[in-house]
Amino acid sequence: MLLLTKKDIKRIFSMQDAVEADKQAFRIYSEGGSVVPLRVNIGAQNYEGQTLFMPGYVGELDSMGVKIVSIFPHNIEKGLPTVPSTMVLLDGTSGEVCCIMDGTYLTQLRTGAAAGAATDLLARSDAKIGALIGTGGQAITQLEAMLTVRNLTEVRVFSTNLERAQSFVARMQGEFANYGTVLRAVTTSEEAITNADIITAVTTSQQPVFNGRLVKAGAHINGVGSFMPNMQELDDYIVQRADKIFFDSQEAVLAESGDFIIPLTQGTINKDKFTGEIGKVISGILPGRETPEEITLFKTVGMAVLDVVTAYQIYQKALKQDIGQEFLFE
């Protein structure tokens, strides 16, 4: 069994690696090549906590796994992470655990790469201006993915707290200096998205975070943050206006995300508006962007197949490069 830390993963697995792993996962999922049971949620009422078990199996890779994610809000009082996560990877040919890795960074990496994969497939090749709305724990890899798949001259960053946006930009300008992209904190979401070619929203907001009427023709939008029925980052107008709408999993999005549950319930959109899953673009079943003027929209809520495929690829690279700590129950 191999133990891999966040530091180990960062040494051997780039964002470009993660984007390619997510493309593979999307294709496998949409082709029916994975088993993704409903996640199990166990509450710890004494501590207002809950732990989620997210299993998945990918026959093409002879691999399976389960990511264990806990949400314990009072951990902050103990100086502990409020959302600790661990990934357990199993050899699909024997059922034995072959690797345990940091699930927190894995989640950040594969979630950023999901939007990165969609952006690579759907955004205009000449995209130059990006907009990032939200500066929380997922924002770093969302920014990195955007910079990885397109040669951007500027990314505007908006948060409801300007100081937080400024602090984020200062840190990221140093961390991602090699891309040569100017990062700029802005005071409104309108300023962020005006004339932007790529817009990524990654918040837990229950109200739309930008005005869809200001999105320019030809833009690509990633909706990442809304993963519960009461959350809605995207306004009804942009959902109605988008020329093509793609999902990581249409079933999961329509069960979990208020971005689509709310307008469907209110009758402002219907399912005929949806194009399909991004995996079918990768397989060549569905076309992606067909004209420079199309507005494309990608919505992700995450799924276990992304964790399994990405963890498998990380594990394979770790074996080849002799990274990590070996452990035996002996």
Side-chain angles (χ1 to χ4, degrees), residues 38-61:
L38 291 174
R39 62 191 180 191
V40 175
N41 188 341
I42 299 176
Q45 296 180 353
N46 291 344
Y47 304 96
E48 297 182 35
Q50 56 185 319
T51 296
L52 286 70
F53 298 83
M54 300 172 61
Y57 171 71
V58 179
E60 182 176 311
L61 302 179

Side-chain angles (χ1 to χ4, degrees), residues 3-10 100-102 105 324-325:
L3 304 180
L4 295 173
T5 65
K6 174 181 178 179
K7 185 177 179 180
D8 293 331
I9 297 170
K10 293 189 80 167
I100 298 175
M101 69 180 68
D102 173 36
Y105 182 63
Q325 179 182 342

Side-chain angles (χ1 to χ4, degrees), residues 143 147 153-155 166-185:
L143 174 61
L147 297 174
T153 58
E154 178 184 40
V155 176
Q166 291 170 333
S167 174
F168 178 86
V169 164
R171 287 184 289 118
M172 295 304 102
Q173 195 71 71
E175 183 162 345
F176 299 130
N178 57 305
Y179 289 100
T181 305
V182 174
L183 307 181
R184 186 161 62 88

